[in-house]
Structure formats: structure tokens, C-alpha cells
Amino acid sequence: MLNRRHIRIKVMQTLYALHQSNSDQIQTGEKFLNHSMDSIQELYLLMLTLLIEIRKKEEEYIEISQKKHLATYEERNPNKKFIENQVLELLSNSTSISNKVEERNMTYWQRKDHYVQLVLDEIKASELYKNYMKSTTRSFQEDQDFIVNVYTEIIAPNEKLYDFLEDTKLTWVDDLPVVNTLIQKQVRQLKNVEQAFFVPKVFKDAEDKDFAQDLFRRTFLNGAELAKEYDGKTPNWDIERIATIDIVVLKMAICEMLRFSSIPVKVTINEYLEVVKEYSTPKSSIFINGILDNISKELEAQGRLNKIGKGLL
């Protein structure tokens, strides 16, 4: 679920938060980092179960309408194509999803039911929904395409949902693109309604989890030493006016160069350039690229880049 770039972003945010609060408590930082990384799975489950809750709400609406004393013919004989969508049924029946939701005691949509109704109303008002319901064909492929399109066109870009997520947990704003991409990919990869659906782990493997912890600790504990590597190497930049995020990124990148032997220097530089493009000033990528390029050449000339394995590439 978390790729290496997103791990770097999580570590950067943690180091930045500690810097802004003038905190030197590593335990505080580790707690913040671990919570931030773990909460991405909660966001994933939240967005995934929104699909389940939307189906459930429409099913409840149909049942109530059918029981009305003066129900219309359409209400007594509703089109159930949406609630019988095979992808929605598959997700609703997934024990992996239900077990994780229960494990985390997630009750967001029960407490914020109006958001479920809001999204359902938008779906039903869309041409996408109307065309789907008019179609007389019934296939897994059609159901799958419909859910992917609903998620892509209506759920993922929904501004009211975005505001709700931002108000609930600030770090979710940065996690949302990763989560949306993952859900869309998983739904597209489904083959049939009998297929088991599994909630992915937060980390791909133990190596990625260790990378997150090690990058944070080594950068945090060696901050003063790492700063010496770029001290005096910014002749055209006033060190006092360099953005705090850029300082954090420089320390992290230099830490990777010196202390993570399996990561190639080019990978390190490219990854942090992408991070600053998204999180820092417009000129930051030029600054970071120039400084890191010069530092990497100097470290190599001094024989201090002890790269092995993949790190040699």
C-alpha cells in the first residue's frame, strides 16, 4: 500500500512537524510517523466501504418504498441492477474487508450517514448511472466498468468528501491519491464475483517498514552532522531563507546517500526532486538538484559512498 516515495513523504512530514514544534523527542516523532503510516489503511477501508454503504443505503430505500401503502408500480417493481451489481456484492461479502473494519472498530459512515446519501444522490443523478440502469445486459464486465467509472468520475473527485477527510485527519489529504489509485486498480483486476478480495498490508514487506523507521531515526539523530555536508555549498542561496522543507529533504537525501548502501544515488536524488516539486517552492527542485548533485560527486570523490548490490546501479 505504501510505496517508497510515500514512505519518504511520511518521514519528511514527521521531521518537519518536529522541527516546527522545536521538539527533540524521538519517541514523539516515531509515534506520529507510525500513526501516519498506519492510518493510510484506515483511509483505504473508509473509501472502499463507502461503495458498500452506498449499495446498502439504496437497498434500504428500495425496501421502504416497496412497503409504502400507496406504492407506485415502479416502487413495487424496482430496477435492482445497481444493488445487484456483482462487484458491489463481492465487496460486501469480503471477509477480509469486514474483519479489518471490525478490527479497527470503524464507524465513520454510521456517524456520517449524510455523506453516504450525498454520494448516492450524485451517482443516481449522473448519466453514467442512468445509462447503466437502462442497459438490459447483465455481465461482470459491465458491472466492473460501471463501478470503476463511478469511483473515478464521482467519488474520487468529490469535494465534499475531500473536505470531510481533511477535517478528520490532515494526513489523509496526501494519502488520498495513493488510496484512490489502489482501489481503482484492485477493482479493475477482479475477474468474477467468486473471487476473494483481500485488504493489502500497509507495507509491501518488512524491508519497507524497516526503511521507514531507519530513515527517520538516522536523519533525526544525525541532523547536525548531516547539515555540515551542505554547509557552505549554497553560495547563491541565503541559508536562513531556505525553506524548512528543503532543509529536511537535504538531510534525508544525504542520509540515504551515506547510510543506505542498497539505494542508488540517482534514485535518491530523483525521488526527493519529485517530493519537493509537490511540497515545496517552485524553485526548490532546481536548488535541491544542484546541491545534491554536487554533494554526491564530492562524497564519491572522497570514497564515502559505500554502495553495494542494487545501490551500485
Side-chain angles (χ1 to χ4, degrees):
M1 187 174 291
L2 278 171
N3 58 40
R4 283 289 179 102
R5 182 176 301 168
H6 211 65
I7 288 172
R8 288 179 174 95
I9 289 171
K10 293 289 187 185
V11 172
M12 179 201 71
Q13 290 171 334
T14 303
L15 292 167
Y16 179 81
L18 289 174
H19 183 279
Q20 293 298 92
S21 63
N22 293 314
S23 174
D24 60 355
Q25 298 298 310
I26 191 170
Q27 295 87 352
T28 301
E30 288 182 330
K31 184 177 179 180
F32 178 91
L33 176 62
N34 290 332
H35 177 73
S36 178
M37 292 189 295
D38 180 68
S39 69
I40 193 172
Q41 189 180 74
E42 189 170 4
L43 174 62
Y44 164 85
L45 289 167
L46 187 63
M47 297 302 290
L48 195 61
T49 54
L50 178 57
L51 290 169
I52 297 171
E53 293 299 320
I54 288 168
R55 174 183 180 269
K56 188 186 299 182
K57 182 166 282 294
E58 180 64 6
E59 190 172 30
E60 291 171 353
Y61 171 77
I62 288 175
E63 290 177 358
I64 292 171
S65 297
Q66 286 180 312
K67 294 176 182 177
K68 287 168 61 175
H69 179 61
L70 297 175
T72 65
Y73 175 82
E74 288 76 15
E75 288 173 330
R76 288 194 302 270
N77 301 277
N79 183 347
K80 295 185 177 182
K81 187 173 182 178
F82 178 71
I83 64 172
E84 292 175 353
N85 180 285
Q86 294 176 78
V87 172
L88 294 182
E89 287 184 348
L90 186 155
L91 296 177
S92 299
N93 295 329
S94 169
T95 54
S96 179
I97 295 174
S98 58
N99 287 343
K100 279 294 180 181
V101 168
E102 184 178 354
E103 179 185 308
R104 289 177 174 272
N105 192 28
M106 291 178 61
T107 58
Y108 288 101
W109 298 132
Q110 287 76 15
R111 291 183 285 112
K112 300 291 184 179
D113 181 67
H114 59 287
Y115 284 105
V116 179
Q117 186 65 57
L118 180 151
V119 175
L120 175 59
D121 290 343
E122 289 193 18
I123 291 172
K124 293 175 71 174
S126 69
E127 289 300 315
L128 186 65
Y129 175 85
K130 293 172 184 176
N131 292 334
Y132 172 73
M133 297 299 280
K134 284 179 185 176
S135 171
T136 56
T137 60
R138 290 287 181 102
S139 70
F140 187 84
Q141 183 67 58
E142 184 190 28
D143 288 352
Q144 183 181 44
D145 291 341
F146 173 70
I147 295 303
V148 169
N149 290 332
V150 161
Y151 197 92
T152 303
E153 298 177 21
I154 299 173
I155 295 177
N158 192 289
E159 292 184 4
K160 292 183 179 178
L161 271 181
Y162 183 92
D163 291 341
F164 160 64
L165 297 172
E166 185 177 34
D167 291 340
T168 304
K169 287 187 182 179
L170 189 58
T171 57
W172 277 355
V173 174
D174 295 312
D175 297 336
L176 191 56
V178 174
V179 166
N180 285 337
T181 300
L182 176 58
I183 291 175
Q184 290 164 321
K185 180 181 178 181
Q186 283 188 296
V187 173
R188 284 194 183 98
Q189 290 176 339
L190 296 173
K191 302 299 182 184
N192 54 63
V193 72
E194 281 80 29
Q195 184 175 342
F197 187 97
F198 295 102
V199 174
K201 297 177 181 179
V202 175
F203 297 98
K204 181 181 68 175
D205 49 36
E207 186 178 342
D208 275 2
K209 185 175 183 179
D210 291 342
F211 171 71
Q213 299 294 341
D214 291 344
L215 180 60
F216 168 71
R217 290 171 183 167
R218 292 174 182 178
T219 304
F220 182 81
L221 294 173
N222 298 284
E225 179 184 336
L226 294 169
K228 293 177 182 178
E229 300 294 342
Y230 60 78
D231 186 34
K233 296 182 176 65
T234 57
N236 299 321
W237 301 78
D238 184 350
I239 196 68
E240 298 299 324
R241 299 178 65 184
I242 295 175
T244 302
I245 285 182
D246 293 351
I247 295 295
V248 171
V249 165
L250 280 174
K251 290 180 180 179
M252 290 174 64
I254 295 168
C255 181
E256 272 193 34
M257 290 181 189
L258 291 171
R259 299 175 183 271
F260 289 79
S261 58
S262 64
I263 302 176
V265 171
K266 286 184 179 179
V267 170
T268 293
I269 294 176
N270 289 337
E271 284 293 291
Y272 286 107
L273 284 179
E274 292 303 316
V275 171
V276 294
K277 283 178 185 177
E278 184 173 355
Y279 289 92
S280 196
T281 67
K283 294 182 179 180
S284 290
S285 60
I286 300 171
F287 165 70
I288 294 294
N289 185 47
I291 297 300
L292 291 182
D293 186 56
N294 289 334
I295 289 174
S296 66
K297 289 175 180 176
E298 183 178 289
L299 294 176
E300 185 174 14
Q302 295 171 351
R304 296 169 63 197
L305 290 179
N306 301 312
K307 299 295 182 178
I308 58 173
K310 293 181 180 179
L312 292 169
L313 302 176

